[in-house]
Each structure stands twice: as C-alpha cells, then as structure tokens.
Amino acid sequence: MSTRGEGIAAGNSAGPSSFSRWIRVVPALLIIGGATFVAAYYVPLRRAHMLLIQEQQRSNEKGRELEQTLSQVRGELQAKAAEVDRLEAERQQAAAAKRSGVERVEQLKTDLAGKLDKQIKKGVAAIAAADGHVFVALSESAVFLPSTVDVSPQGQGLLCQVSGALSSIAGQAPLRVGAVSGPPDSVPPALHAAYPTPWELSAVRAATVAQTLQDKCAVAGARLSAVGHAEHDPAAAALGETKLPAGRVEISIALPGASPAQK
C-alpha cells in the first residue's frame, strides 16, 4: 500500500510541472511559427506587392507618354492631311485654269481663222497655237515692199486687220512682233549693204511692223514689243504644217493661265 501511494503521489507531483512547461513552450512555438510565416510568406508577398505597384506606376507613366506621343502624331497627321488637301485644291484649281486657258487659246485661234479666212486661203497668212500663245504669221511679201524694210500699203491694211481681230477677241492683251528673215543667203542683195546679217534685217523689220501698228493701226505702244529672230523661228514647229515661206512676220498674243504647267 505504501508503494502504490508513493507512486500516485509522485504522478500527481509530475503533472503540474509538465503542464507548466507546455504553457511556456506554446508561446515560443507561436512566436516561431509567426516569424516563420512572416519570413516565408508575408515578406515575399509584400515585396511582390511593392514590385507590382512600381510596375503599375511605370506602366501608367509609359501609357501617359504613349498618349502624348499619339496625340502629337495625330496633330501632325491632321496637319499633313490639311496640307495635302490644300495642295490638291491648288492642283485642281491650276488644272481648271489651264483647261480654261487652253480653251480660250483654241477659241481665239478659231475666231482669228474666221476673220482672216481670205488671207489664209491666199497663202499669205497662217494661224497656230503653242505654249499658251496664238501666232498670226504673215508672209514678208504680203507686208513689205519688195527688197525693202518698208511696209507696203497692202501690208499696212493687213497689219491693221490682224491687230483689230486680235483686239476684238483678246482685248488689250500685249502683242509681240517677231520677224524671221530666213537663212543668211536669203538677205536681198539690195539690203545686204545696210543689213548684212539676218539678225539686223529681222530686227529692223520687226521694229518697223511694231511702229506701223502703233502709228497706223492705233495699237498702244505699251502693248507692243518687237524682236528679230534671224533664221531662228520659235514658232516653226507650230507653223510646220503651213506653206508660208521662211521669211515672215509673226504677231503673237499670250493669254494668262494658258501656258502649260512647268514639269
């Protein structure tokens, strides 16, 4: 009995002591577990969260930069589109003006052909159009006295008829008088001493015709210009189908906006 009692007494004395130890161990375990949780989960999650916030901020900044760039590009594109529209409008306007000018030239050519029909049929006059100009070409034999630089009475009447036709159709547009003398050997012997070269002969004849238009045909001098071409005829291609001789007088008129556009 004594032994059993001692055992019970010993067990009773050991129980409270073991419980006390667990009471002390459990908080330590909780602290260790909490520290382990913080170290293993919370800190990495916190870091990941901060990284995500930073990445979001960078993304937002990039988004704002892209939006600014896109807005700038939109503005540039709108400006370019406006410039293209303006250039296209100018091109269409220039094309319309050119068509109108070409139509005016052709109409002027047709009207002149009707007014100078008799001279054209006689082979002393021809009409052509090129580069926004209308040319009335007259044989030198129909304008000048033979082997002279003087305008004949017949030539004076013809010049006044041409200038009158041009003025009635084209108003007060400038008139350019050109004279072509033909090759060097075409200078008449009677004129060779005074005008030994085609340049000199053609220049004098052009000036004489311009003077006649002013003095006898009531063409204002401010509208007139005169040039000698010698044997170099700028209207030769346009007059290529005519049968006029190389020596001739050409009166041309230019219509604004009728010249072809430069390439």
Side-chain angles (χ1 to χ4, degrees):
M1 290 295 292
S2 57
T3 303
R4 184 178 177 184
E6 291 175 356
I8 292 172
N12 291 335
S13 62
S17 176
S18 176
F19 181 77
S20 298
R21 285 197 301 271
W22 277 107
I23 291 298
R24 290 193 297 271
V25 168
V26 167
L29 292 175
L30 290 175
I31 292 172
I32 293 171
T36 302
F37 174 79
V38 169
Y41 296 99
Y42 178 77
V43 171
L45 288 174
R46 177 65 177 174
R47 289 176 179 174
H49 179 66
M50 296 302 297
L51 289 174
L52 287 174
I53 292 176
Q54 293 174 0
E55 185 64 27
Q56 182 65 36
Q57 291 174 343
R58 286 194 293 268
S59 298
N60 291 340
E61 183 65 24
K62 289 182 180 179
R64 286 191 292 269
E65 293 176 356
L66 289 174
E67 183 62 29
Q68 292 176 354
T69 301
L70 182 59
S71 178
Q72 181 179 356
V73 170
R74 285 198 192 102
E76 292 176 354
L77 288 176
Q78 290 174 353
K80 291 291 185 183
E83 179 67 11
V84 169
D85 291 342
R86 183 185 66 80
L87 293 175
E88 178 62 18
E90 290 180 355
R91 186 194 67 78
Q92 292 180 358
Q93 184 178 4
K98 179 182 175 182
R99 287 193 300 270
S100 176
V102 171
E103 290 171 359
R104 290 173 61 201
V105 167
E106 291 301 321
Q107 186 62 47
L108 176 57
K109 180 181 174 182
T110 300
D111 293 344
L112 284 173
K115 292 180 179 295
L116 301 174
D117 181 64
K118 292 182 180 180
Q119 288 73 21
I120 294 173
K121 289 180 177 178
K122 290 179 180 178
V124 299
I127 299 173
D131 298 331
H133 290 74
V134 174
F135 298 86
V136 179
L138 305 171
S139 171
E140 66 178 20
S141 63
V143 177
F144 301 103
L145 292 170
S147 300
T148 71
V149 293
D150 300 321
V151 175
S152 66
Q154 175 188 0
Q156 177 183 318
L158 183 57
L159 292 174
C160 290
Q161 182 180 4
V162 170
S163 64
L166 288 170
S167 296
S168 67
I169 296 171
Q172 299 301 304
L175 302 179
R176 185 177 65 186
V177 178
V180 182
S181 62
D185 57 3
S186 65
V187 177
L191 298 176
H192 195 272
Y195 312 107
T197 68
W199 285 111
E200 294 171 285
L201 178 59
S202 63
V204 169
R205 281 183 164 169
T208 301
V209 168
Q211 191 71 52
T212 300
L213 289 171
Q214 176 180 283
D215 296 343
K216 304 298 182 180
C217 304
V219 178
R223 294 178 58 200
L224 295 167
S225 62
V227 60
H229 297 299
E231 69 269 28
H232 311 288
D233 185 4
L239 296 167
E241 297 180 358
T242 68
K243 297 181 180 180
L244 290 179
R248 53 181 173 257
V249 171
E250 297 167 355
I251 303 175
S252 66
I253 185 170
L255 298 181
S259 298
Q262 296 296 323
K263 297 182 179 180

